[in-house]
Amino acid sequence: MKKKIMIASLTVCMVAILAIGFSLAYFTDTETATNTFTVGNVDIKLDEKDLSAGAVEGYRTETGNSYKLYPGQSYEKDPTVTILADSEDAYVRMKVNITNFDALKAAAARDGVDVSNIGTIFTGHDEAIWARASIEEHADGSATYVYNHKTVMSAGNTATLFTNIAISEKFTALPDFEVKIVAEAIQA
């Protein structure tokens, strides 16, 4: 009996030694692949034509303009995003935040003007280039129209969200409001 246990123990040890030997022989060669991940630089500029008194023709401003609005009038406004040189390709979106939107919407409803589409107030919007992602109404009475550029933009590319502010002649009175435009980009 002791002899059978000894033979069984030796057999198990031999199998273990052979398994370890084959494993070591199998894993004697190694190769390494190193993956490097880098984040590129995305650099954009948002500007519009400078309409201030005494502005040089063709000069653009990054701070915006002031307007005194009247029903039935149109005013030049062209928020333009540019992908700057040495920038990576990028996906771009623009947000148009309108303060006092609740009052503007109430005046529009009173006077029969639809403000659910940005094109009602901001004309020259190209739906072939920009897709509306959402309209977000906020608790503070403001609203944000969010638009995504439909294609990836490359260095040197520009895109204008709209070209004018047009105030419908249907408006009998308008509340004061501000328009804040934000351009955002992320590497494509």
Side-chain angles (χ1 to χ4, degrees):
M1 179 70 125
K2 283 187 176 188
K3 199 173 191 181
K4 284 184 181 181
I5 292 174
M6 176 96 98
I7 291 173
S9 296
L10 287 174
T11 304
V12 169
C13 287
M14 287 296 279
V15 169
I17 290 171
L18 287 174
I20 291 170
F22 283 124
S23 295
L24 290 175
Y26 185 71
F27 293 118
T28 58
D29 187 22
T30 61
E31 295 291 329
T32 302
T34 302
N35 297 300
T36 303
F37 297 91
T38 59
V39 178
N41 178 44
V42 175
D43 197 9
I44 63 172
K45 177 177 75 172
L46 174 63
D47 64 8
E48 63 184 54
K49 184 175 181 180
D50 188 351
L51 301 175
S52 61
V56 176
E57 180 64 30
Y59 183 75
R60 300 190 64 79
T61 178
E62 295 180 23
T63 59
N65 292 295
S66 295
Y67 302 87
K68 186 164 179 103
L69 303 178
Y70 297 100
Q73 298 296 311
S74 181
Y75 306 88
E76 191 171 358
K77 183 167 185 67
D78 63 344
T80 302
V81 64
T82 303
I83 305 294
L84 299 177
D86 299 324
S87 179
E88 300 293 331
D89 292 351
Y91 295 102
V92 175
R93 75 176 175 185
M94 290 179 82
K95 296 178 177 181
V96 180
N97 180 269
I98 303 171
T99 63
N100 209 13
F101 187 73
D102 284 349
L104 181 61
K105 195 165 66 170
R110 176 195 68 223
D111 296 334
V113 178
D114 176 19
V115 291
S116 64
N117 184 333
I118 198 170
T120 304
I121 300 172
F122 304 103
T123 60
H125 169 72
D126 190 347
E127 291 183 5
I129 297 173
W130 295 97
R132 183 173 72 197
S134 64
I135 299 175
E136 304 161 358
E137 293 191 33
H138 308 287
D140 66 357
S142 68
T144 303
Y145 292 81
V146 180
Y147 282 84
N148 296 329
H149 195 272
K150 290 185 175 181
T151 60
V152 173
M153 293 181 67
S154 299
N157 290 155
T158 62
T160 302
L161 184 58
F162 51 82
T163 57
N164 293 291
I165 297 174
I167 304 302
S168 172
E169 69 280 349
K170 293 181 182 179
F171 277 112
T172 56
L174 281 170
D176 289 341
F177 62 93
E178 290 182 353
V179 175
K180 178 181 178 184
I181 300 171
V182 175
E184 299 173 329
I186 187 168
Q187 182 178 340

